[in-house]
Amino acid sequence: MLVLTRKRDEVIQIGDNIVIKILKTGKGAIKIGVDAPGDIRVIRGELLETEKQTEPVESVGSVQSKQGLNAQCA
């Protein structure tokens, strides 16, 4: 794991098309922005864990539909 120290308005570049920007810092929390292409899924870790625990078995069609929705919501 790469650990970096960043200040407000500084960025982290991942590959050619993903940028993470520090928007606000405060006591015990930071606000970040993630700029990524629509086909890259960006989700908070705790939501991913919840999703894995509650995800029913899905057909291929519903998975493709869901992936399209996730790309639009990102």
Side-chain angles (χ1 to χ4, degrees):
M1 174 186 296
L2 175 64
V3 178
L4 301 170
T5 301
R6 301 277 76 199
K7 294 179 182 176
R8 186 172 175 250
D9 294 327
E10 292 182 331
V11 300
I12 299 167
Q13 180 83 34
I14 301 174
D16 293 331
N17 55 4
I18 300 174
V19 176
I20 300 172
K21 183 174 183 179
I22 308 305
L23 301 175
K24 184 178 178 181
T25 59
K27 291 185 179 182
I30 62 169
K31 186 180 238 184
I32 63 171
V34 179
D35 186 12
D39 63 331
I40 302 292
R41 186 172 184 206
V42 178
I43 186 170
R44 296 187 338 237
E46 65 273 15
L47 294 180
L48 184 61
E49 290 301 317
T50 301
E51 186 178 271
K52 285 181 180 178
Q53 292 173 1
T54 60
E55 188 171 280
V57 176
E58 301 180 68
S59 68
V60 173
S62 65
V63 170
Q64 289 172 343
S65 174
K66 187 178 191 181
Q67 288 173 343
L69 179 61
N70 287 336
Q72 292 172 359
C73 293

